[in-house]
Amino acid sequence: GKVTINGLAKDFPFDKNNGEFSITSHANGGELLITPRWQLVSDIEGYIRLRNRNLEIDLVNADFQGVPVKQMNLRIDNIG
C-alpha cells in the first residue's frame, strides 16, 4: 500500500483543498462495518482508495450478509 500526506497538520483533513491525505492499498480477508444498522461485510478482497474524506473500494469479492458479491464498486463520500 501507499500513504500520502501533503500539507500542514493544522489543516487536516484538508477540506479546503489545501493538502492531501490518501491511502491506496489492496486488501484480502478484510471486514467493513458501514453502519451499526447493517451487518458486517466480510471476506473482502479489493482495492482501497481513501482521499481526504472519500472512500472508494473496488471489490473483487466479498460476503454481504451471506450473499457472495463479485466485481462491485463501493463508494462513500465524506466519511466524516
Side-chain angles (χ1 to χ4, degrees):
K2 179 181 175 183
V3 176
T4 301
I5 301 172
N6 183 14
L8 300 175
K10 70 178 183 70
D11 295 330
F12 184 80
F14 311 118
D15 290 331
K16 297 179 183 176
N17 293 322
N18 51 355
E20 176 187 5
F21 172 72
S22 66
I23 299 172
T24 55
S25 185
H26 176 262
N28 192 5
E31 297 179 333
L32 178 65
L33 183 61
I34 297 171
T35 176
R37 291 178 275 164
W38 288 20
Q39 290 185 13
L40 188 70
V41 180
S42 60
D43 297 326
I44 296 173
E45 179 186 356
Y47 297 90
I48 302 166
R49 290 180 303 282
L50 175 65
R51 180 168 162 79
N52 296 348
R53 293 184 185 260
N54 301 316
L55 173 66
E56 190 166 1
I57 303 173
D58 290 324
L59 295 171
V60 175
N61 57 61
D63 183 317
F64 276 66
Q65 303 175 17
V67 178
V69 174
K70 295 191 181 294
Q71 304 298 316
M72 181 176 161
N73 179 269
L74 172 65
R75 179 177 170 162
I76 303 173
D77 292 329
N78 194 1
I79 60 173

